[in-house]
Amino acid sequence: HCGSLVHDDLPCFDNFPTRRGQPSVHAKFGERIAVLTGDGLIVLAFQALATVKAKSPERVAAVMSVIAQATGSPDGIVAGQAWECEPKANLRDYQRAKTGALFGAATACGALASGAAAEAWRPLGEWLGEAYQVADDIRDVIGDPDALGKPTGQDLANDRQSSARSLGLFGAIQNFDLLVGKAIRAIPSCPGAPYLRALVLAESERLVPRDALERVQA
């Protein structure tokens, strides 16, 4: 994910001067180093998996395959970034590839690594990922750049598709709430399900705080 953010910040994409409150990689070290850094981080993810001392090594190949699919194309983050380059794209397909694919891989891989069924857990990540992207669109409109650690107003400035532009701010908020609800309902039955539901709700409040929405309405 860090590798994808380094690429996302590049001048040819979002051209963000900051990320997480610090200078972005290209802003501090130059564009060429940033490209190589993003590439290197993605490779490092696979290296970390390949060298893990697993109790069940036969599960590692399946985990690596899921991550590779979520990283590349036709439905991974590379595809999502490519859709961002297009003047028109199906917004949901774009968001599910750019963010949902990686979140879906995270929940699927957690299941695979523990010996559980990956497909039962993938929807949780996919709905969460889509909700996260919608939240990012909302915060681009109402967020505080200092709190977010990156510039805001970029979707409008770069004439880029977003949920807030397509649905309006409050339509995007309603969509976010809908996606969070779908994520919660997608949690499979398990001993930790109540904790996971509470965690998703807490994360949704962190992403789109209700007090921020009240200030906008006021």
Side-chain angles (χ1 to χ4, degrees), residues 76-100:
I77 55 175
V78 169
Q81 200 71 36
W83 275 122
E84 191 174 283
C85 301
E86 298 293 328
K88 295 290 182 181
N90 182 292
L91 183 62
R92 189 178 181 201
D93 288 345
Y94 152 59
Q95 292 183 333
R96 294 197 76 171
K98 184 175 181 183
T99 310

Side-chain angles (χ1 to χ4, degrees), residues 66 99-109 121-126 129:
V66 168
T99 310
L102 208 57
F103 278 63
T107 52
C109 286
W121 285 91
R122 189 187 297 273
L124 166 62
E126 290 178 338

Side-chain angles (χ1 to χ4, degrees), residues 33-44:
I33 293 297
V35 171
L36 295 172
T37 298
D39 292 347
L41 285 169
I42 292 170
V43 172
L44 188 60

Side-chain angles (χ1 to χ4, degrees), residues 88-196:
K88 295 290 182 181
N90 182 292
L91 183 62
R92 189 178 181 201
D93 288 345
Y94 152 59
Q95 292 183 333
R96 294 197 76 171
K98 184 175 181 183
T99 310
L102 208 57
F103 278 63
T107 52
C109 286
L112 279 173
S114 67
E119 294 311 308
W121 285 91
R122 189 187 297 273
L124 166 62
E126 290 178 338
W127 291 124
L128 273 179
E130 193 173 348
Y132 192 96
Q133 187 62 55
V134 173
D136 197 51
D137 293 345
I138 294 168
R139 296 192 300 175
D140 187 65
V141 177
I142 67 172
D144 177 2
D146 292 333
L148 295 177
K150 64 178 183 177
T152 56
Q154 297 301 296
D155 291 336
L156 183 61
N158 295 311
D159 193 25
R160 190 165 51 218
Q161 294 188 96
S162 79
S163 299
R165 296 187 70 190
S166 297
L167 304 173
L169 178 59
F170 294 104
I173 293 167
Q174 289 178 327
N175 189 32
F176 172 75
D177 289 338
L178 178 67
L179 292 167
V180 170
K182 287 182 175 181
I184 290 172
R185 290 191 294 274
I187 296 172
S189 178
C190 65
Y195 170 76
L196 282 173

Side-chain angles (χ1 to χ4, degrees), residues 22-47:
Q22 301 292 327
S24 57
V25 178
H26 79 84
K28 188 167 184 176
F29 300 105
E31 188 172 353
R32 292 182 294 178
I33 293 297
V35 171
L36 295 172
T37 298
D39 292 347
L41 285 169
I42 292 170
V43 172
L44 188 60
F46 288 95
Q47 181 182 340

